[in-house]
Amino acid sequence: MSSDTERLVTGVTARISERGAATRVALLTAAREVFVTNGFAEAGVTDVVSRAGASVGSLYHHFSGKADLYLTLFDEFQIRQTQRTKQAVQAVRAEGETDPMRLFVAGARAYLEGCLAEREISALFLRGDGPPGFEVIMRDRLRQWAKRNAALFEGDEGALVVVLTGALAAAVSEVALSEDEDASRVLVEDVLVIIGQIRRP
């Protein structure tokens, strides 16, 4: 193949990839809007593709179906939340903080603020209207979250980590599902103050 032909093929492939990526983003954006408005159970694939300006075939090219769209939205939200908490903990560590509880509170603040910043999508995953088996995925994520939290603490403090993670999970639910954003912001501050007062055994 000549270098001109290679450049042409590479250029066409890049345009197709860009178009495919744009279609994928449009489908996820539309799915988010449809799921938030209608709920997962009531949402239809045709609603999603219509809102995305795409075809049913393009949806099935990128996703295996409605549940896959939902789970992809969940995974992407969790990735953003993990990045927020890591950055917050790293920033506090960079300032010289070593106390595990203060590191935990910094990460908890970032996570809760992420839930406030993305209240609609956060609430979507907590309403109990997800694909079959989603509650198992949520429980598994909670266990993974507890393990990440445990990494902040030295020694055998399993009970403390369970209590902290459970308290934070309950706060996440209240913050995301509350209809009053101002009350949610107050709740975040109150929860963080209370968690910060917990003393390690």
Side-chain angles (χ1 to χ4, degrees), residues 54-77:
S55 67
V56 172
S58 65
L59 186 146
Y60 285 106
H61 174 74
H62 293 281
F63 303 97
S64 63
K66 186 169 79 164
D68 192 18
L69 283 165
Y70 185 97
L71 294 174
T72 301
L73 288 169
F74 177 69
D75 286 339
E76 290 184 356
F77 175 68

Side-chain angles (χ1 to χ4, degrees), residues 6-17:
E6 285 178 11
R7 280 196 297 273
L8 180 62
V9 169
T10 302
V12 170
T13 303
R15 283 194 298 278
I16 291 170
S17 293

Side-chain angles (χ1 to χ4, degrees), residues 112 170-171 174-175 178 182-192:
L112 289 167
E174 289 300 316
V175 164
S178 172
D182 291 334
S184 292
R185 291 188 184 285
V186 170
L187 179 63
V188 165
E189 294 307 319
D190 290 347
V191 165
L192 293 172

